Structures are given as C-alpha cells and as structure tokens.
Amino acid sequence: MSRGWQAVGNVNVTARTSLRLRWAREDERRYSAESATSARRSYVTLTRRYEAGWTWRPDADLRLGLQGELLRRGDDVSGVTLRELAVRPSGRRRFLRAWTVQAELRDADVRSSEPAGALRPWFFPQ
C-alpha cells in the first residue's frame, strides 16, 4: 500500500524573480510472512521531501535557478533512516527559435543510520 501527499507554492517576488516551495510526504507499507530464507521482508516507510527554489530571468531567453532539497526516509521495521541534503543549480538558454540548451547540476550528501544487524530495505540507496 502506498499513499502520498504534496503541497506546492509559487510566489512571483518581482517580474523577473520567483520562489517555489514544495513539501511532499509518501507512506509505503508491505507486510509479509517472513522466514529465515524469505526475500520478501516487511517494511513501513515514511518519506518527507522539502524543497525551496529560486529562479531569476534577466531576459526572456535566459533563466537561472538554484534549488535546495532535504529528503528524510525511515523504515519502522528495520530501524534504518536516511537523510539526503542536496543543492541543484540550473540554467536554461534559448539560442534560436527552435533550440534551447539546459543544464543542471546536483550535489547531494546522503547519510544513513542503521542499527547493528539491520537489513537495509531494497529501495534505499547504497
């Protein structure tokens, strides 16, 4: 079973500058009968994502942006938790009428906490 909610807000601060805020929550659960050789383990996770972005348009053909993200995940069954903190600068330029160049860079720090003997759920990054 999986459920998700999200809230997004955009604010045009000036004619060329805007802010974007996003909050998202996902609940995911799977219960199964486990044994020593079972590959289908139970899990109950909660994921929260917080994003804040800033966009600046100095002219009609150029858009520059900077976005920050915080992602928190936790599994109640194994006790594994994960925190990801990321920064993402981006740029978009229109050169000709039919051509656009876009670039994004993402730098993230991912940290995980696992109790001794815990088996990491399959969907967590390594």
Side-chain angles (χ1 to χ4, degrees), residues 10-84:
N10 291 312
V11 177
N12 292 326
V13 179
T14 66
R16 297 178 183 267
T17 306
S18 64
L19 293 174
R20 181 177 189 262
L21 301 172
R22 179 178 176 234
W23 169 83
R25 175 184 165 138
E26 293 177 22
D27 294 302
E28 191 172 340
R29 302 163 195 254
R30 180 177 77 186
Y31 297 106
S32 62
E34 299 177 28
S35 67
T37 59
S38 174
R40 295 181 52 86
R41 300 194 182 277
S42 297
Y43 61 82
V44 179
T45 64
L46 173 62
T47 302
R48 290 188 189 110
R49 180 184 303 264
Y50 306 94
E51 297 178 12
W54 170 79
T55 304
W56 179 51
R57 294 172 301 279
D59 62 51
D61 294 334
L62 179 62
R63 184 185 320 169
L64 302 171
L66 183 64
Q67 181 172 335
E69 300 175 24
L70 173 64
L71 180 96
R72 293 182 182 269
R73 284 188 185 128
D75 176 38
D76 288 343
V77 175
S78 68
V80 176
T81 60
L82 179 137
R83 190 194 100 201
E84 180 176 349

